[in-house]
Amino acid sequence: MFLVMRDIRGKSSQELVTILRARLNDEAETLASNDRFRLHGMNGRHIRRLLARMTDHVETKSGLASRYPEYVKTGKNKYEIEHIWADHPEDHVDEFDHASDFQEYRNRVGDLLLLPKSFNASYGDLPYEDKLEHYFGQNLLVRSLHPKCYEHNPGFTRYVQESGLPFRPYLHFKRAEVDARQRLYQLLAAQIWNPELLSQELNS
């Protein structure tokens, strides 16, 4: 960041856009390029903010008010990373031969949501099918797992159509669904952090 600040000091808006776009375009590792991007012991804070930003983007693009400060606040009543899959590898022996393979998949970003701490404490250990109805009362990115989210929800359905993103509901959530949700997050991130948006902002 020191080098970035040094390079942009005193630059005009157009020069700033040129420098930042070049730096972003040079980034080799992005969420969009990593099909196995996952939660681990060192990146929990980063993923929490990533989920908060994606959740806020989906909601504001659907016509709802921004709640980003609520999603990233710390302390009491904070939001936490929720695994869609409960930590029960024995429930997935039909798809994974080893518990370590299950854990690796369970920590992929496609299996993660942002939910209030109280929700995680109450429902986090339940099977997906039992949690699905409770998901419908949460933020829009979580609600998008539920079929009812696509009914009588014109702001969201318009956003899905205009963005071209592969949102869809899931009655069950297996390995293929984690892969599909991972791809959705990758495409969503590519739209949110598109370097071309810098030029659009400058010209707007």
Side-chain angles (χ1 to χ4, degrees):
M1 287 305 299
F2 172 80
L3 296 177
V4 173
M5 290 187 289
R6 181 201 63 187
D7 292 344
I8 67 176
R9 185 178 295 120
K11 296 296 191 289
S12 67
S13 297
Q14 183 60 63
E15 290 172 325
L16 181 63
V17 165
T18 300
I19 293 169
L20 293 179
R21 280 187 59 186
R23 283 189 169 272
L24 290 171
N25 287 330
D26 287 342
E27 288 289 336
E29 187 69 21
T30 66
L31 176 55
S33 68
N34 189 348
D35 293 338
R36 301 177 66 180
F37 183 64
R38 63 186 178 88
L39 175 70
H40 56 73
M42 301 296 292
N43 68 356
R45 181 179 299 179
H46 172 69
I47 288 186
R48 183 168 174 263
R49 288 187 175 273
L50 177 79
L51 291 169
R53 181 68 180 88
M54 293 196 296
T55 300
D56 184 71
H57 179 84
V58 171
E59 292 186 328
T60 55
K61 289 295 185 180
S62 299
L64 302 178
S66 174
R67 296 168 60 194
Y68 182 77
E70 176 185 346
Y71 296 143
V72 297
K73 72 179 181 181
T74 58
K76 188 177 180 180
N77 300 322
K78 70 176 182 179
Y79 278 71
E80 291 186 332
I81 297 171
E82 148 91 353
H83 289 82
I84 295 176
W85 284 351
D87 192 9
H88 294 296
E90 66 274 12
D91 294 338
H92 297 266
V93 293
D94 58 326
E95 295 192 296
F96 299 98
D97 293 330
H98 302 285
S100 59
D101 296 331
F102 162 78
Q103 291 293 348
E104 191 274 336
Y105 242 86
R106 181 175 181 262
N107 281 315
R108 292 192 183 186
V109 70
D111 191 58
L112 304 178
L113 302 168
L114 196 65
L115 287 163
K117 183 178 181 179
S118 58
F119 183 100
N120 204 1
S122 299
Y123 303 107
D125 201 44
L126 296 177
Y128 173 77
E129 291 78 7
D130 294 339
K131 291 192 283 190
L132 184 57
E133 285 301 319
H134 301 288
Y135 282 162
F136 187 64
Q138 300 300 318
N139 65 65
L140 191 51
L141 190 57
V142 177
R143 288 205 308 272
S144 67
L145 292 163
H146 198 292
K148 290 181 182 177
C149 187
Y150 301 81
E151 302 172 4
H152 312 296
N153 198 351
F156 175 64
T157 53
R158 182 178 61 252
Y159 163 66
V160 171
Q161 182 177 11
E162 291 176 352
S163 68
L165 293 170
F167 279 93
R168 67 181 183 89
Y170 301 97
L171 294 179
H172 307 283
F173 210 79
K174 303 287 281 184
R175 182 171 179 163
E177 285 71 34
V178 174
D179 289 337
R181 191 76 172 181
Q182 181 98 2
R183 185 57 181 158
L184 169 66
Y185 284 178
Q186 290 178 291
L187 295 171
L188 177 57
Q191 290 192 5
I192 295 172
W193 289 285
N194 181 359
E196 295 297 325
L197 294 176
L198 291 170
S199 297
Q200 294 176 23
E201 287 293 327
L202 181 64
N203 297 324
S204 62

